Amino acid sequence: MKTIVVTLHELLLCLSKAQDLVSPELSNHHERVAYLSTRLAEQVNLPAEQQKDIFLAALVHDIGALSLNERLETIETEPEYINSHAIKGAKLFEGFKPLQRAAQIIRYHHMPWKNGENQFYKEDKIPYASHIVHLADRVCGLINPSQNVLIQLPQILSEINQNIDSIYEPNLVKSLFELSRKEYIWLDLISASPVDNLPEIGLYDNLVLEIDDIIDLTYVFSRIIDFRSRFTARHSAGVAKTAESLAKIIGFSPLECKMMLIAGYLHDLGKLAIRSSVLEKPAKLDEDEFNEIRSHTYYTYQLLDSIEQFKTINKWASYHHEKLNGKGYPFQIEGDNLTMGSRIMAVADVFTAITENRPYRDGMENESAIKVMHNMVANDSLDGKVVNILIENFHEINLLREQAQEEASIKYENFLECE
């Protein structure tokens, strides 16, 4: 393999599905908003390029709401002000060039129309696209999944119409009413994968990412994963840099080292499906909570499995809790069935977890960390060759880990300051 190429749509859809796993109430919410936003943009005859930006923004519009309570609040209530989750979502994506316009849409997707007064916020012109995503978001939030959607339409439209001009842009509400006469739109909307029903307007084909762009975007993913908990706010950065360093020393190709970095950024993607109360619990987990935590690698595997060119990356990322003795989880893969990439990731994860500082405890001293890893080699949990290479290059690799995690800490503090 000379390189890997994926579409921006594939990666954002993967992230969208991951965030929606946290609760049945959120199932397909991002996809539904992306579908309806795109249909509204089409209805008001926006250019295809703007439709693409709206689609991408809507697909991850609530990404700044990191907890379940925040997510439910954004769906069930209608804030009357520019709220923190929208700003945080924009902050996460604005440094990634292919999503800069989408980030601006996300930033203002809860601004009310206010009789046309809110076309600017401070010195920023609020994108018309933000009002489209806003309206689609509210409509999707009003749908009761346990009832026939067509029966619900009159009540939904009535509620929207009550806030025309004050909250919603009048022409968009008119377009929504026009769409309401097309039953297939609403049946598409509640289908298993709404975005698959969108017409081909070039949404996907020309939004192609090559390896360095993929690294940049998956680094953003790692921040979304880690920032859900102050306990792990910089974990993935340390794992990714450690795994990449080990891969280089072991002799992986330059492309494989970049793939290892991506796998490190994504290895805990499935933790987006875990309740914040479990991630944040400083005390010992009970059996149910422990089993919930253990499920995260399964979800990582399932989410990444949809991306064809991530097959190898997926195994490296998702098998980081498997053990050579077959007593790992969730697949109980053992021995020669664990590739070197998976073995590297397992070592990188353990090393980072025991050496990093967390709010409730300091990381282990070097000698203690080395002892723990030797013990895990002795009981056939970790690969002895990889651990020996880590120990032989301990100070160099540990310094790289610390630098990566310090940078992640700064980004986390900046993220918390969003208002």
Side-chain angles (χ1 to χ4, degrees):
M1 182 185 295
K2 295 182 179 179
T3 189
I4 58 173
V5 176
V6 301
T7 65
L8 184 53
H9 157 256
E10 283 181 291
L11 281 176
L12 291 187
L13 188 58
C14 175
L15 179 60
S16 170
K17 289 181 180 296
Q19 204 184 32
D20 283 354
L21 280 173
V22 74
S23 171
E25 298 101 307
L26 305 175
S27 179
N28 268 7
H29 178 70
H30 274 127
E31 278 201 56
R32 288 178 178 176
V33 176
Y35 175 85
L36 187 55
S37 295
T38 307
R39 287 298 192 183
L40 283 167
E42 178 186 52
Q43 187 71 19
V44 297
N45 296 314
L46 289 187
E49 198 62 32
Q50 290 184 39
Q51 291 185 40
K52 294 173 194 175
D53 290 337
I54 288 168
F55 171 80
L56 294 173
L59 199 55
V60 287
H61 67 280
D62 280 341
I63 211 68
L66 301 183
S67 71
L68 174 59
N69 287 340
E70 284 180 295
R71 286 294 315 281
L72 291 175
E73 181 184 50
T74 64
I75 293 171
E76 295 171 355
T77 63
E78 179 56 34
E80 297 180 354
Y81 51 86
I82 182 70
N83 53 71
S84 64
H85 89 270
I87 296 177
K88 288 177 179 177
K91 188 81 173 174
L92 286 164
F93 286 122
E94 65 188 5
F96 182 63
K97 190 173 181 179
L99 286 176
Q100 284 176 345
R101 292 192 303 272
Q104 195 72 345
I105 295 170
I106 291 169
R107 182 182 300 276
Y108 298 116
H109 80 272
H110 271 296
M111 284 293 280
W113 178 248
K114 215 169 182 179
N115 302 303
E117 293 176 18
N118 276 351
Q119 296 187 54
F120 287 86
Y121 179 75
K122 296 183 179 178
E123 296 181 358
D124 280 352
K125 180 172 175 57
I126 296 174
Y128 189 65
S130 295
H131 295 294
I132 292 177
V133 175
H134 184 195
L135 178 57
D137 189 22
R138 292 308 306 140
V139 170
C140 292
L142 291 170
I143 294 173
N144 184 340
S146 66
Q147 295 179 4
N148 183 291
V149 68
L150 299 177
I151 291 175
Q152 297 178 65
L153 266 182
Q155 179 58 38
I156 291 172
L157 295 173
S158 174
E159 185 164 336
I160 294 297
N161 201 45
Q162 288 172 21
N163 295 295
I164 192 171
D165 224 18
S166 60
I167 295 180
Y168 310 116
E169 198 276 334
N171 288 329
L172 289 177
V173 175
K174 179 183 175 182
S175 296
L176 178 68
F177 273 74
E178 291 168 354
L179 285 178
S180 72
R181 294 194 289 268
K182 302 174 182 179
E183 288 91 346
Y184 79 93
I185 295 288
W186 306 95
L187 297 175
D188 279 351
L189 188 65
I190 61 166
S191 65
S193 186
V195 299
D196 288 346
N197 298 311
L198 285 170
E200 176 51 54
I201 57 169
L203 281 175
Y204 316 138
D205 295 341
N206 63 348
L207 296 169
V208 172
L209 303 178
E210 297 194 2
I211 190 72
D212 290 333
D213 285 331
I214 296 170
I215 289 172
D216 290 343
L217 183 55
T218 53
Y219 177 60
V220 175
F221 280 28
S222 75
R223 292 165 64 193
I224 295 166
I225 296 161
D226 290 352
F227 287 5
R228 289 189 67 217
S229 169
R230 68 190 188 281
F231 293 168
T232 59
R234 56 191 202 148
H235 177 69
S236 295
V239 172
K241 184 54 66 174
T242 300
E244 180 194 34
S245 301
L246 286 168
K248 284 179 181 177
I249 297 168
I250 287 172
F252 277 37
S253 71
L255 173 62
E256 288 172 325
C257 290
K258 290 182 176 183
M259 291 168 62
M260 186 62 71
L261 189 63
I262 292 167
Y265 287 147
L266 296 177
H267 78 287
D268 275 345
L269 180 63
K271 281 189 176 176
L272 291 176
I274 308 303
R275 290 172 295 156
S276 296
S277 59
V278 176
L279 295 175
E280 289 273 273
K281 187 175 181 179
K284 185 177 180 180
L285 300 178
D286 63 30
E287 185 177 0
D288 285 345
E289 292 166 337
F290 184 60
N291 284 331
E292 183 175 344
I293 282 285
R294 284 166 62 98
S295 71
H296 81 272
T297 48
Y298 171 82
Y299 290 122
T300 297
Y301 183 87
Q302 293 298 327
L303 290 161
L304 296 180
D305 193 47
S306 63
I307 303 176
E308 182 62 33
Q309 293 223 2
F310 272 22
K311 295 300 183 187
T312 298
I313 288 172
N314 190 8
K315 291 178 181 178
W316 294 351
S318 302
Y319 295 170
H320 66 275
H321 281 298
E322 303 294 338
K323 297 179 180 179
L324 293 174
N325 58 21
K327 296 179 180 179
Y329 60 86
F331 301 109
Q332 285 81 51
I333 301 170
E334 61 183 307
D336 293 340
N337 292 319
L338 281 172
T339 66
M340 181 54 70
S342 301
R343 297 175 188 218
I344 289 172
M345 193 61 65
V347 171
D349 184 59
V350 170
F351 170 71
T352 303
I354 63 178
T355 55
E356 66 187 354
N357 293 326
R358 294 189 178 179
Y360 57 91
R361 53 94 171 147
D362 291 333
M364 287 185 180
E365 297 294 333
N366 294 354
E367 292 304 317
S368 297
I370 289 171
K371 182 177 180 180
V372 166
M373 301 193 80
H374 274 314
N375 289 340
M376 294 186 74
V377 171
N379 67 24
D380 214 18
S381 294
L382 295 177
D383 184 281
K385 175 184 175 182
V386 179
V387 169
N388 286 337
I389 288 173
L390 172 62
I391 292 171
E392 289 166 7
N393 299 273
F394 190 94
H395 295 290
E396 174 191 346
I397 293 175
N398 198 37
L399 179 61
L400 290 171
R401 174 196 66 78
E402 288 176 342
Q403 290 172 342
Q405 294 196 294
E406 180 59 31
E407 180 183 340
S409 291
I410 294 170
K411 291 183 182 296
Y412 179 59
E413 293 303 321
N414 290 338
F415 178 78
L416 292 180
E417 291 173 3
C418 291
E419 348 180 306

